[in-house]
Amino acid sequence: MWFAQAEAQFALANVVRDHTKVYHIIAKIDQSVICHVTDLVTNPPANNKYDTLKQRLISRFQVSAQGRLERLLSACDLGDMRPTRLLAKMQEIATGLNVTDDLMKMLFLQRMPPSVKAVLSISDGTIGKLAEMADKMIEHPSSHIAVVSNVASASDTVADLQNQVAALTAEIRNLKATRGAFRSRSTSRYSSRYPEDEICWFHRKFGSQALKCREPCRYSSKN
C-alpha cells in the first residue's frame, strides 16, 4: 500500500523515468529501512532500478501468509476503532489468504461487544452491512437496546394473549358444564313430576330449555 501511494504520486506528477522514481523512494525511506537496500543504492542495476528496489523492500517487510493468518485469528481487536475500520483492516490482512466470507464473518462477530454481537448474529446481509449496523449501534447504544426491548415486549404480549385465551377456554368449559348440569336437573325434575308417557321427548330431554314440543304433552300445557 505504501508503494501504491508512491506510484499514485508519480502518476499525478507525471514521473515516468526509472531513476527519478528511485530517487523519490530513497528520499522518503529512513535509515532503518535504507540499510536493507544499501547495495542497490550504491550500485544500482543497469535496468529496472525502481522495480528491483520495490521488490527488495516488499520481500524484507512483507508479513508472511502464516504471520498474517495468525494476526487475523488472534491479534486483530476492535479497541477504539469503528467496526467498519476493523473490518477493512481484517480484509487487508486476509488479502491473498484462503479466507471464506463465512469465516471472516465469524471472526468479525467474535470481536464485537456482546450486546452488538447478539443482534448481528441474527441479522441478514453482507458482512459490510453488518459492520455498518455495528457502527450505528456503538455510536447510539439506545438503538439496539430498543430493538431488544421491542422483542421482549412482543414476547410479553404473546404471553399475555396466551393467558387470556387459556382463561376464556376455561370459562367456556365451566359454562358448558353448568348448563349441562342445569339441563340434567330440569329433565329429572319434570320427569319425576309427570309420568314418562305424558311428557314429550323434547321436554324429557331438555326440560324448560326445549325448543320444540310434541303433543300431547302435559309439560307444555302446565308450563
Side-chain angles (χ1 to χ4, degrees):
M1 290 298 100
W2 188 86
F3 276 102
Q5 289 181 304
E7 289 166 4
Q9 293 294 330
F10 294 157
L12 291 173
N14 198 28
V15 175
V16 295
R17 293 184 178 181
D18 192 34
H19 66 277
T20 304
K21 293 180 180 179
V22 170
Y23 293 154
H24 277 293
I25 297 300
I26 293 173
K28 288 293 182 181
I29 58 179
D30 58 31
Q31 291 295 322
S32 64
V33 176
I34 200 171
C35 64
H36 293 276
V37 291
T38 301
D39 57 320
L40 298 180
V41 174
T42 58
N43 186 26
N47 299 307
N48 299 321
K49 297 179 178 63
Y50 172 74
D51 287 339
T52 303
L53 180 67
K54 175 181 176 180
Q55 293 305 319
R56 171 74 67 82
L57 290 173
I58 289 176
S59 65
R60 294 292 173 89
F61 293 96
Q62 181 179 8
V63 181
S64 66
Q66 180 179 350
R68 286 188 292 134
L69 183 58
E70 291 177 353
R71 185 179 176 188
L72 181 64
L73 294 175
S74 60
C76 200
D77 296 323
L78 181 62
D80 58 354
M81 289 189 293
R82 291 164 58 92
T84 47
R85 176 69 185 91
L86 172 64
L87 177 61
K89 182 178 179 182
M90 293 174 64
Q91 290 174 330
E92 179 183 358
I93 294 173
T95 301
L97 301 177
N98 188 22
V99 178
T100 64
D101 291 340
D102 289 340
L103 177 57
M104 181 66 75
K105 180 178 179 180
M106 182 191 73
L107 294 175
F108 175 75
L109 291 179
Q110 285 179 348
R111 289 159 173 79
M112 292 297 101
S115 58
V116 175
K117 179 181 177 181
V119 177
L120 296 183
S121 297
I122 58 176
S123 302
D124 296 326
T126 63
I127 188 172
K129 293 294 183 183
L130 296 181
E132 292 174 2
M133 287 177 59
D135 278 357
K136 295 177 181 178
M137 293 165 67
I138 290 177
E139 290 175 0
H140 307 285
S142 60
S143 62
H144 67 277
I145 292 175
V147 171
V148 175
S149 298
N150 289 337
V151 172
S153 297
S155 299
D156 292 342
T157 301
V158 171
D160 290 341
L161 290 174
Q162 290 175 338
N163 291 334
Q164 292 177 30
V165 170
L168 288 173
T169 302
E171 185 175 349
I172 291 172
R173 188 181 301 113
N174 291 335
L175 288 174
K176 287 182 177 180
T178 302
R179 185 176 180 182
F182 175 78
R183 286 179 176 176
S184 177
R185 289 195 300 269
S186 297
T187 301
S188 299
R189 184 172 64 252
Y190 286 103
S191 296
S192 62
R193 288 176 57 187
Y194 303 102
E196 186 173 347
D197 57 355
E198 295 181 4
I199 301 175
C200 70
W201 180 86
F202 296 102
H203 283 102
R204 286 200 308 271
K205 180 69 174 177
F206 300 107
S208 62
Q209 301 296 318
L211 300 178
K212 292 183 179 181
C213 181
R214 180 174 296 172
E215 297 294 343
C217 178
R218 290 186 62 189
Y219 176 87
S220 178
S221 63
K222 296 294 182 182
N223 197 38

